[in-house]
């Protein structure tokens, strides 16, 4: 199980796990719960550049269509094709098998993101 205190978070409910100069990105369990059953993912392509705070994908659920925002600037190194093929994994394992993409980043860029305590405060303790 992922240690949620080692992750960084955004106000848009994405999480980021730093692995050297690479970051694994996903949505939080709080976001997955609010969305409901995820039924479709549109993710950027490998090699695409993404910009912090900008829309880089789409998540559709039985309740709504939501936008995926890039938490930091980076280049897409990988996308989770298993999650694209079976979006329900985003609900069942958002911090594990439900990851969405991997980015090549500048590690210092994550310092502006939220830590776990700040994210829990943002969600009113619901995260």
């Amino acid at each position: 199980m992922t240690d949620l205190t080692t992750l960084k978070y955004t106000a848009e409910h994405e999480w980021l796990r730093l692995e050297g100069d690479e970051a694994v990105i996903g949505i939080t369990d709080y976001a997955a719960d609010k969305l409901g059953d995820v039924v479709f993912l549109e993710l950027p392509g490998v090699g695409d550049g993404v910009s912090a705070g900008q829309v880089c994908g789409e998540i559709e659920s039985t309740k709504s269509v939501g936008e995926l925002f890039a938490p930091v600037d980076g280049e897409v190194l990988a996308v989770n094709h298993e999650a694209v093929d079976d979006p329900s994994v985003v609900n069942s394992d958002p911090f594990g098998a439900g990851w969405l993409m991997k980015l090549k980043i500048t590690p210092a860029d994550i310092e502006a993101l939220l830590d776990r305590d700040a994210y829990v405060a943002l969600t009113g303790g619901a995260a």
Side-chain angles (χ1 to χ4, degrees):
M1 176 152 178
T2 301
D3 180 355
L4 302 182
T5 64
T6 64
L7 304 177
K8 291 291 194 168
Y9 301 86
T10 70
E12 291 78 26
H13 310 289
E14 286 92 22
W15 58 264
L16 179 149
R17 181 177 66 239
L18 189 61
E19 297 177 348
D21 63 351
E22 295 181 12
V24 180
I25 313 293
I27 66 166
T28 66
D29 52 349
Y30 176 84
D33 182 58
K34 293 296 181 196
L35 279 169
D37 294 333
V38 176
V39 296
F40 176 78
L41 294 170
E42 181 180 308
L43 301 174
V46 172
D48 288 353
V50 297
S51 299
Q54 299 298 308
V55 174
C56 64
E58 187 174 282
I59 301 175
E60 292 184 23
S61 73
T62 54
K63 291 183 182 179
S64 67
V65 176
E67 296 175 323
L68 176 66
F69 295 89
V72 292
D73 294 343
E75 178 187 343
V76 179
L77 298 174
V79 295
N80 186 349
H81 294 289
E82 288 79 17
V84 171
D85 292 343
D86 179 12
S88 68
V89 72
V90 173
N91 293 105
S92 63
D93 192 11
F95 295 108
W99 65 275
L100 300 177
M101 63 183 159
K102 293 183 182 181
L103 302 178
K104 172 112 174 133
I105 67 163
T106 302
D109 289 351
I110 72 164
E111 292 178 20
L113 301 178
L114 304 171
D115 64 14
R116 182 69 183 170
D117 290 339
Y119 182 70
V120 168
L122 174 78
T123 63

